[in-house]
Amino acid sequence: MRPFAALPTLATALLLLGATAQAQLYGPPAPPAPPVAPAAPVTPPSTPAAGLALGAPQDTLREYRLSETTRLRYDDVQVEVSGGTPEQAAPLQNSFREALRAREGERTLTYKQFLKVLPADGTPGRYLWNSISSEGGRSVSSRSLRTLGAAGEGSLAYQPDAVPVPGDPTLALLTAQIQAELARTHAELLAGFDPASFGLLTGTAQSGPLSPGPLRPGPLRPGQTFTRVKTLQPAHPLATLPGQKVAGAPLQVEQQLRFESEQDGQLVFFRQARVLQPGQVVTGSADLLLTLARYVYDGELRLTPDGLPVSASRDEASVIRVTGRMNQGDLTLTFGLTVTSTSVLTLTPVK
């Protein structure tokens, strides 16, 4: 019997994709994570603050060097398989533990990061992010188009490479899932230094039917805070199963950028966070309970007065307890583990 053989084809492909890719990129087990702040009680999201106008002209081009190091560790792992025979139970249990080992460890990615201000085309402002990394000896480019809004709202659209849509419905669905995950991970990467991710950048309206006049946000005040909500998704072997549903509120935190002061012609923001929802229940292919034990979000973002990043640092860490159960034929897999993840990001200017 092959472990997880009874799972749907899409789930098996996603599990194998995650395990294989991370097994190639992760190094040895990571050292213990640094101490992090305890989770706070549930609180409502903050009210958005007035932002900063984009003053950079069309065709402005900026180049940066970007580095992100992530670490993933599993502790207090408990795995039990009931039902069936010992010969059936052992492969399923071993497969689960092997999937954990494939994901655990440290990964560092470096990028050439570019930003280009595009023609507004009747919007309050547009610019393109292009993140170029080298993985496995080949260059990989991730592009996302940011369109600013009049009051902090706006959009970020991932720009995938043109690929033929597979004729097989299952493969087409898998392709769509992968593209959605690429868009999500690129947006999360950009949130480390793109002020518009926090509704901080409103842009300057251009002439056109959608833009009646220039936007003039007021000056930033020390202590003024800009926020974004992040849903935490701890990595474990059952996280990508199809048919999963969150029962109630998802596991969420509010990340904040707090304006401190202007230093040497740069606008300086510090990072902080608070917990919105410390627990989550998932039902479907597997029944899961997620509990946030600790979370920290720290670092700095520096912007030019016209709204472009100068440099950034971001330290993020979480400790999440995951318990769950999954039925596979006559077998029932019951598990519990603590997921400790850290991410350290730095952005430095080139020109």
Side-chain angles (χ1 to χ4, degrees), residues 52 59 89 123 140-141 161 198 214-215 246 252 265 269 279 303 334 344-345:
L52 178 70
D59 294 329
T123 71
V140 178
S141 177
D161 294 330
F198 290 79
L215 298 169
V246 176
Q252 289 185 329
F269 297 80
L303 304 176
T334 304
V344 178
L345 177 146

Side-chain angles (χ1 to χ4, degrees), residues 326-349:
M326 181 191 72
N327 293 324
Q328 182 176 341
D330 295 332
L331 302 178
T332 299
L333 173 72
T334 304
F335 77 97
L337 53 88
T338 300
V339 185
T340 300
S341 61
T342 64
S343 172
V344 178
L345 177 146
T346 58
L347 180 82
T348 54

